[in-house]
Every structure is written in C-alpha cells, then in structure tokens.
Amino acid sequence: MNTKKYFINALTYLVLILFTLIALYPIINVFTISIRPGDKLLSTSLAIIPDNWTLRQYAELFVKRPFMLWIMNSAIISATVTLTGVALASTAGYALSRFQFVGKQSSMLALLTTQMFPATMLLLPMYIMLIKLHLINSYLGIIIIYSATALPFCVWQMKGYYDTIPYSLEESARIDGCNKWQAFYKIILPLATPALVITALFSFMTAWSEYIVAAQILQDTSLYTLPIGLKSFESNLSTEWGLYAAASLIVSVPVVVLFVVLSKWLVSGLTLGSVKG
Amino acid sequence: MAEVILRNVFKTYEGGNTAVKDVNIHIQDKEFVVLVGPSGCGKSTTLRMIAGLEEISSGELLIDGKVVNEVSPKDRDIAMVFQNYALYPHMSVYENMAFGLKLRKFPKDEIDARVKEAAKILDLEQYLERKPKALSGGQRQRVAVGRAIVRKPKVFLFDEPLSNLDAKLRVQMRTEISRLHHQLEATMVYVTHDQVEAMTMGDRIVVMKDGIVQQIDTPLNLYNFPGNKFVAGFIGSPSMNFISGTLVKEGTLQFISENKTLTIQIPAAIEAKLQNSTGKKVWMGVRPEDFHQVQIEEGKKFEAKLEVVEPMGNEIYLYFPVDGVQFTARIPSREKPNPGSVKELYIDTTKLHFFDAETETALL
C-alpha cells in the first residue's frame, strides 16, 4: 500500500517537474538571449548565463530607444481600460444580476454575441467607426475599443458571481440602514472581490499585450504601445533579437507582479459563513 | 408604542399570482405574534411586506400609527433576523452588530456599549473579534439576533430563524428568544412553519393558508376552539383525526360515519349548537389525546385494531383504522400493546369538534 502511494507521489512530481520545465524553458531562453553579447545571439549553447554576458541590450532599450515612452503609453491605456472595466462591469453585472428590467435578456444575449467574433473580424468595422468619430491615433479610441472587447466577458462573469451572493445579505443591509447603493458598495462589492480581481486582470491583459488593433489605430510613433514598439525591432533585413528579448522580459514583469499580488484575492469561499449553506 | 397594523393588505405578483389576500392583523405594542402556516401560505411575504422588502400591492401598513407603505426599510425602524442568518462575512462579529448603528451615525462610545451589552445578553463576548465563518450555526444565529437588538428598533421581525438549527439548539434558542421578548418588552413578529414554535412562543398566533388568514387567536384558544378544519388539523401534534359523516336526529342527535361503522351519541351539552346542522354532512374531529383506555363519563367505547404502535417514552402513539380512515391516539405509556392486537378505547365525546363539510368552518 505504502509503496503504491510512494510511486503515485513520485509520478505526480515527475509530471509536475516536466511541465514546469516546459513552461520555464522559453522564459530562460529569452533571458539568455537578452544577456548574450551581440555576436553570439544565434549560438546553440545551452548555458543559461553565457560567456561574456552583458546588460548592453537593457541599457540600449532605455537610453537609445523610446522604450520608456512605450511603457508609459501602455500603462496609461491599460490602467484606464482596467479602471473602466472594473467600474462598468461591477455595476452592469450587479444590475443584470439583481434587477428586472425591459431588455435584460436581450442585452445579455447581445453582450454574448460580441464574444462570438474574433477581434480581427471586428477590426474593419471598428476602424471605420473610429475614423468617423475622429478617434484614430488617440488614447481614447484605443481605450474604447479595448474596453468594448473586454467588457462583455467581465460583465458576464461579474453577473455570475453576484448571482451566488444571497439576496438576504442586501436585504439585511437595507434593514440595517443602507440604501440600495450603500448595500451594493458596503456589502456586496467587498464580497465580490475575487470576481473584481478577475475582471481587473482580464481588462489589463486585454490592453497590455494587444498588438493587432493597436497596430492599425495607433500610427503616430509617439503613441506606440509596448507590443507595437517591440514589433519595430523587427525589419525586413534583420531582427534585433537581443533587444526584443530584453524588452519582452521587462514587459512581462508587471503582468507577473500583478498576478502574484492579486492572486491572494482570488480565493474562493469569501462568502463562507454569511449564510447557512 | 409600536403597534403594527395591516389593513386589507394584498400582495399580487406580476403575472397575477396573488400571494397574500386581504390580510388584517392588529399587532399590539409589546406583543409577540407568530405567523404560521404551511409552505407557500404567504406568511414570509407578509413579514417581508412589514419589513419593506416587498411592496404592498394594495392595503395599508401602519407602524406606530403611521402609514409606512412607501417608507424604505431603513426608515421603518425595524430589525429582522433571517432564516439563513445573513451575516456580513467580511466583518467581525463586533462589526456585524455595530454596522446598523454606524450607518445611523451613533457616537462610538454608545455603539461600543450597546454591542457589548448585546454580546453579554447573548453570551457572545468571547467571539466579538471572530468572523462569522469561525462560528457554529447557533452562534451565528445569536449574532444575527444581536445585530437586531443593538438597534433597539420598534419592531423585531423573525423569518424562520431557527429552521436551520438542529433540534436541541432549536429548543434552546426558542427559549432564548422568548426570554429576550420579556427582557426587551418589544413588539415581535415571528414567522415559522413549526406549530410547536408557534404554540410555545406566541402571545397570539396568526394561522395562514393560501395567502388568507384562517384565524388569529391565543395558542390555547386556537387549540381548543379552532375556527375551521384547517386550523384544527394544523395546530396540535399529532394532528387531529377527521372523519366524515352525517348528523342524524333519531330521538337524540347522533353522528353516523360515512360507512356507518361508527355511531356517536352527541352529548347534551353541545347538541343545541349542532341542531341547525341536522341531516347535513359534517366532519367530526377528535384530538389524539381524547382517546382513553378506561371508561369515562360520556365516553364512546370502540375497538381499535392496531396497525402501528409508536412508543415515545412518556407516551405511546397508536395508529388504527376507523371507518376506512387512519386515526392516531396518544395514550400514556404504561404497557406497549402489540401491533395487530385489538384494543378497547373510549372517545371523550365532550371534546369532539364538528366542521361543516362544505365550508369546513367550525360548528361549535
């Protein structure tokens, strides 16, 4: 019995280690490339820290390239999309979860329908709309498009989470002295933190790593976001893989940090103990 | 003073489904009124209308002499304890209890004093810093009660507060709530489907069925003088036995069961009241404890062929057919008769109940 348990444990760890390696390999590879000296970029060496390693690529990014500008642009756009996503999805989801109104079902279906088309397919109509609104080449234009892309999913998942929170909590709050708005933001919103975190992460990721839409709408180099900026390292004749690798690593840092910081809020069972389950 | 008056109150949902029909209840100041009835009888809806959580479709609701139909729950000065406790899970026990007072901008010292006083009454002092998830069911329910009493509201509303607790805890909390009622001298409205809770706690009981109030009376009056067949069957456990038959005048007034296997001489004391129903179909009701093992005055002897025998410790329930209907008798537990045996029993005919077969209203 014990041998069998031991064997299963060993096998579990083996599989986990294997998948961890598969997940880590590209990151390690990118890291290695980012610190290789320029003449050894295409080396087949497996050393993680190459001989004559250098931080020249990182320095060049910040000193010679408008990398800081791209980070700023991406940060402004992503933060705005995240805030918009959280503010609108939390309230719209609540309305869809709690209130009965004309057009509730059809509006939910309409939201779902937008998720059925790939972003590339929506690119042309969105582009035309932005031209008519004179929003091409502007923060506002890209923010509207990213928010519109992220919101349907966020609204649905917020609604789904609110549905699991018992009505009696709000009713209790309203008897305790809250009006409807207070019951929402003092009681229900804190309980919906896990869903809010997912909404925030999803909205952020939608904006932070998006390339195709940004490449069409932001043509002014001063408005470039990180993904378009990175792509500019690529040309017909040669690609600056060292810079590309260094930039990719830096770009992924905020995402990793965000996930680590927010993951503690992603716990289920926050409403545990409120009502008899 | 905190009277609660419901005047011709109706609740009709969209789609025409009427949950509460023409309810009239006058709840006195400091009174403990229990709304009781089977599932879907409208008792919770009525309570929620008093709380302001459901709109009143028509009729008037007065709290403390003022019509409050359009007043929001927070301004009605009521507190409510929910069946599922509805504690705020992200707040500690202290914060849960203080929440209502904070919203009403009470000074900090007073909030602290009131919460501590409530915690003392409810024996929650050592749990004040805990979150609800770290409490047992009984403790959570006490926090929910505490959250209500710190507010010192005009009216307390309870919506089946004990139905999620186990049997032992339920009895304990039942007495605690009754004790609180005496201690706080507050008006309380309590909803339950459990007639034992209703009987033991209420100053008066409102029995409801299908959204209609069947009878409002004190527990003992409901038990002894049920207004109709439904109330007679609902109040009392095991419930009243019913048998249909006809009242026939053959010299004296007699009840003859449908299949004519049981004939009962109506005692002179109640004969006059039943005169008008002579020749009519009626329901006769017998409470399980009105069967006796020994000859009594005005006792109707008959032989019961026992089908099931349930010893309860202090008493025994006997199940046997009478005229094709299963009857239950409750007798003191001295010896346990065997199922299948025949036992002589005497029905106390002075304690019989009669109901009109059509309207089901009481004839006595």
Side-chain angles (χ1 to χ4, degrees):
Chain A
M1 193 61 200
N2 259 346
T3 345
K4 195 181 168 192
K5 209 173 156 188
Y6 184 77
F7 179 73
I8 289 175
N9 259 345
L11 200 70
T12 312
Y13 278 106
L14 203 70
V15 171
L16 288 176
I17 290 167
L18 188 71
F19 276 92
T20 311
L21 285 178
I22 292 174
L24 282 179
Y25 176 74
I27 300 169
I28 294 169
N29 210 358
V30 169
F31 171 71
T32 312
I33 293 172
S34 77
I35 56 172
R36 274 183 197 162
D39 55 345
K40 284 193 183 150
L41 279 178
L42 302 174
S43 144
T44 52
S45 154
L46 284 176
I48 291 176
I49 308 286
D51 298 335
N52 308 324
W53 64 276
T54 167
L55 292 176
R56 197 182 52 80
Q57 322 275 17
Y58 290 89
E60 186 172 341
L61 269 185
F62 287 99
V63 179
K64 294 190 184 161
R65 308 292 174 116
F67 192 65
M68 278 308 287
L69 179 72
W70 302 339
I71 288 184
M72 279 287 292
N73 287 340
S74 269
I76 290 170
I77 291 169
S78 302
T80 316
V81 171
T82 308
L83 287 176
T84 319
V86 168
L88 295 184
S90 63
T91 42
Y94 185 72
L96 290 171
S97 165
R98 292 302 200 251
F99 303 128
Q100 296 301 326
F101 50 88
V102 180
K104 176 175 162 173
Q105 288 305 321
S106 46
S107 55
M108 282 177 62
L109 257 176
L111 282 177
L112 205 60
T113 314
T114 61
Q115 299 294 288
M116 293 175 187
F117 304 101
T120 33
M121 206 178 135
L122 297 172
L123 193 56
L124 186 64
M126 287 196 291
Y127 189 74
I128 295 170
M129 272 198 281
L130 286 190
I131 287 180
K132 290 195 171 158
L133 292 167
H134 303 289
L135 288 174
I136 289 289
N137 250 336
S138 74
Y139 281 154
L140 187 59
I142 194 95
I143 286 168
I144 288 176
I145 291 205
Y146 285 159
S147 299
T149 321
L151 266 174
F153 169 81
C154 296
V155 169
W156 263 87
Q157 74 101 13
M158 286 303 303
K159 181 214 174 282
Y161 199 86
Y162 289 135
D163 285 348
T164 67
I165 300 177
Y167 277 47
S168 56
L169 285 178
E170 281 145 287
E171 293 177 343
S172 179
R174 288 184 55 207
I175 288 176
D176 259 347
C178 291
N179 55 35
K180 281 188 179 175
W181 169 250
Q182 285 173 318
F184 167 65
Y185 86 89
K186 278 183 193 275
I187 302 296
I188 303 304
L189 210 53
L191 296 179
T193 316
L196 280 177
V197 166
I198 291 174
T199 294
L201 282 176
F202 186 81
S203 305
F204 182 83
M205 293 303 295
T206 303
W208 185 256
S209 55
E210 203 285 331
Y211 171 73
I212 297 175
V213 176
Q216 308 314 311
I217 290 167
L218 304 175
Q219 288 143 5
D220 184 344
T221 47
S222 69
L223 291 175
Y224 271 15
T225 55
L226 281 167
I228 324 177
L230 258 66
K231 189 78 168 58
S232 71
F233 294 143
E234 205 178 299
S235 72
N236 286 337
L237 296 175
S238 71
T239 299
E240 295 166 280
W241 287 118
L243 283 178
Y244 216 136
S248 305
L249 275 185
I250 295 173
V251 170
S252 57
V253 168
V255 180
V256 173
V257 171
L258 208 64
F259 265 90
V260 170
V261 170
L262 292 183
S263 63
K264 74 167 177 179
W265 297 103
L266 281 173
V267 284
S268 61
L270 210 66
T271 53
L272 210 70
S274 65
V275 299
K276 174 87 177 183
Chain B
M1 278 290 283
E3 284 184 336
V4 178
I5 300 170
L6 290 103
R7 248 183 232 150
N8 309 107
V9 169
F10 282 80
K11 175 69 194 180
T12 309
Y13 289 105
E14 275 172 45
N17 175 25
T18 305
V20 171
K21 292 171 203 154
D22 199 15
V23 164
N24 287 284
I25 310 173
H26 187 147
I27 301 165
Q28 310 282 349
D29 182 33
K30 297 175 189 168
E31 195 178 19
F32 195 122
V33 166
V34 179
L35 307 182
V36 71
S39 304
C41 72
K43 56 189 188 299
S44 279
T45 310
T46 307
L47 191 81
R48 290 169 58 81
M49 284 193 286
I50 300 176
L53 298 172
E54 299 270 357
E55 271 177 41
I56 296 171
S57 306
S58 75
E60 269 186 348
L61 168 69
L62 290 90
I63 295 178
D64 208 8
K66 285 183 205 119
V67 178
V68 291
N69 286 38
E70 302 299 327
V71 177
S72 72
K74 71 185 173 79
D75 300 323
R76 291 191 184 192
D77 201 6
I78 44 149
M80 183 157 165
V81 178
F82 291 82
Q83 176 176 3
N84 58 12
Y85 323 140
L87 300 179
Y88 313 126
H90 55 305
M91 296 183 192
S92 67
V93 169
Y94 185 98
E95 290 166 329
N96 260 286
M97 295 210 269
F99 186 66
L101 298 176
K102 270 188 197 158
L103 284 171
R104 289 179 165 76
K105 305 219 160 37
F106 274 71
K108 245 185 167 172
D109 308 345
E110 183 163 0
I111 294 178
D112 196 58
R114 284 200 190 188
V115 170
K116 292 205 166 131
E117 188 193 340
K120 199 173 170 192
I121 293 174
L122 295 163
D123 200 14
L124 285 168
E125 282 163 306
Q126 66 268 48
Y127 306 114
L128 284 175
E129 297 312 312
R130 288 206 195 164
K131 290 271 168 70
K133 68 178 169 198
L135 300 177
S136 70
Q139 289 163 344
R140 283 181 204 173
Q141 193 54 284
R142 286 216 294 276
V143 176
V145 173
R147 191 169 60 180
I149 65 176
V150 291
R151 294 241 324 273
K152 300 187 179 163
K154 281 181 191 152
V155 183
F156 286 89
L157 307 174
F158 295 87
D159 190 4
E160 308 213 19
L162 307 183
S163 39
N164 281 343
L165 302 177
D166 63 49
K168 199 178 160 195
L169 214 53
R170 197 151 52 207
V171 176
Q172 192 188 329
M173 282 299 289
R174 201 168 77 199
T175 48
E176 268 187 52
I177 292 176
S178 292
R179 186 170 53 83
L180 269 177
H181 175 237
H182 293 295
Q183 208 171 332
L184 303 172
E185 295 194 320
T187 309
M188 292 187 173
V189 187
Y190 188 105
V191 161
T192 180
H193 62 265
D194 181 349
Q195 54 102 8
V196 179
E197 271 174 35
M199 291 293 284
T200 51
M201 300 172 87
D203 293 329
R204 280 194 304 158
I205 299 176
V206 179
V207 185
M208 294 182 75
K209 184 194 166 203
D210 299 335
I212 298 171
V213 171
Q214 303 290 314
Q215 192 173 353
I216 305 177
D217 217 327
T218 60
L220 287 180
N221 274 351
L222 276 185
Y223 189 82
N224 293 324
F225 311 106
N228 60 36
K229 185 173 169 252
F230 173 79
V231 175
F234 192 79
I235 301 291
S237 174
S239 53
M240 188 185 275
N241 302 292
F242 294 106
I243 184 165
S244 69
T246 320
L247 287 171
V248 181
K249 185 95 175 170
E250 283 175 10
T252 56
L253 194 62
Q254 287 180 345
F255 170 85
I256 300 173
S257 67
E258 211 162 66
N259 298 330
K260 301 192 171 52
T261 59
L262 183 72
T263 305
I264 286 180
Q265 185 82 32
I266 305 296
I270 55 174
E271 193 178 337
K273 289 184 187 167
L274 293 173
Q275 285 297 352
N276 289 340
S277 305
T278 310
K280 278 191 185 170
K281 285 195 119 192
V282 293
W283 286 99
M284 186 184 81
V286 192
R287 291 242 180 245
E289 59 272 27
D290 293 333
F291 290 93
H292 297 267
Q293 299 178 86
V294 289
Q295 172 73 48
I296 50 164
E297 212 176 311
E298 306 275 13
K300 160 72 185 173
K301 178 179 156 189
F302 76 103
E303 288 182 340
K305 193 166 184 302
L306 305 181
E307 284 178 341
V308 179
V309 174
E310 287 180 348
M312 307 301 286
N314 59 337
E315 56 197 12
I316 296 179
Y317 295 170
L318 306 175
Y319 298 87
F320 50 88
V322 175
D323 204 48
V325 187
Q326 177 162 285
F327 264 44
T328 311
R330 188 158 82 177
I331 58 166
S333 129
R334 296 221 173 77
E335 53 185 299
K336 186 189 165 198
N338 289 325
S341 63
V342 174
K343 188 163 176 62
E344 268 186 10
L345 290 173
Y346 298 86
I347 301 176
D348 185 348
T349 55
T350 60
K351 302 255 177 79
L352 290 175
H353 297 262
F354 288 94
F355 306 93
D356 188 286
E358 264 176 50
T359 61
E360 297 195 345
T361 50
L363 296 172
L364 292 177

